[in-house]
Amino acid sequence: MTQRINAMAQSPELFKKFVEFSMLVKKSGTIEASILHLIDIRASQMNGCGFCLDMHVKEAKIDGERELRVHHVAIWRESSLFSPRERAALAWTEVLTRLPEHGVPDDIYEQVRAQLSEKEIADLSFAVMAINGWNRLNVGFRTTPGAADKAYGLDRAKLD
């Protein structure tokens, strides 16, 4: 598969601002980095974004995430490896990634509200919004998985 266009080269100012937004979300400090990795992986799986999935699996490994947990993200409901807080974040990620026709069901919101503060839910929602934006950009332009490993230091993950 060949990359269609390079969005960074074509729209450098917009790309830069979206990177800044994404970094601000990650630095908000209310949501643990481990959960941010999980939601980035899950949304990327759901959206079929090979570039982002590849990137976030490598980032998670570099940050010390256990390999089996990464494999279990796709089956998080059946897995015993995730805490109630992580499960709530994954449920919120899924519902915001594929919005139901009639909106977010109350039971999912209540599950999330039981585990996260209002500020955390807001920050988590921005994180989900960011990864979905990146997924759409990279799926649309067929960005090659692993293409930016060296630039982003992801070759340190040693996942060949």
Side-chain angles (χ1 to χ4, degrees):
M1 189 162 53
T2 305
Q3 185 167 335
R4 291 177 169 155
I5 66 171
N6 181 328
M8 181 173 58
Q10 296 303 314
S11 300
E13 191 60 32
L14 291 174
F15 191 90
K16 178 183 173 191
K17 292 296 182 187
F18 198 42
V19 168
E20 288 173 11
F21 169 75
S22 297
M23 292 296 104
L24 187 59
V25 166
K26 290 197 182 302
K27 292 178 182 175
S28 72
T30 60
I31 305 296
E32 304 91 292
S34 60
I35 289 179
L36 293 174
H37 289 310
L38 296 175
I39 68 160
D40 286 345
I41 290 167
R42 185 63 188 131
S44 299
Q45 288 172 336
M46 293 175 69
N47 290 322
C49 185
F51 180 84
C52 292
L53 182 58
D54 179 83
M55 170 186 281
H56 295 296
V57 164
K58 290 171 181 171
E59 285 179 340
K61 182 173 192 277
I62 289 168
D63 286 347
E65 183 58 76
R66 292 184 0 229
E67 191 171 339
L68 186 58
R69 280 174 39 96
V70 171
H71 288 293
H72 277 218
V73 170
I75 58 155
W76 65 269
R77 284 180 184 80
E78 293 81 29
S79 176
S80 62
L81 301 179
F82 301 101
S83 69
R85 182 174 171 84
E86 291 168 331
R87 290 176 182 286
L90 288 163
W92 195 247
T93 298
E94 287 187 356
V95 77
L96 292 186
T97 296
R98 294 216 178 110
L99 288 168
E101 183 178 341
H102 300 289
V104 175
D106 289 338
D107 64 320
I108 293 177
Y109 176 75
E110 292 305 325
Q111 175 190 359
V112 174
R113 186 67 181 95
Q115 296 298 321
L116 287 85
S117 70
E118 290 181 1
K119 168 77 167 130
E120 290 170 328
I121 295 169
D123 287 356
L124 178 64
S125 299
F126 280 111
V128 172
M129 187 173 78
I131 189 57
N132 277 290
W134 286 115
N135 288 167
R136 280 145 181 78
L137 195 67
N138 288 303
V139 168
F141 298 140
R142 294 184 178 160
T143 309
T144 306
D149 280 6
K150 192 164 185 107
Y152 296 143
L154 299 174
D155 47 345
R156 293 179 299 143
K158 306 239 185 276
L159 292 173
D160 298 302

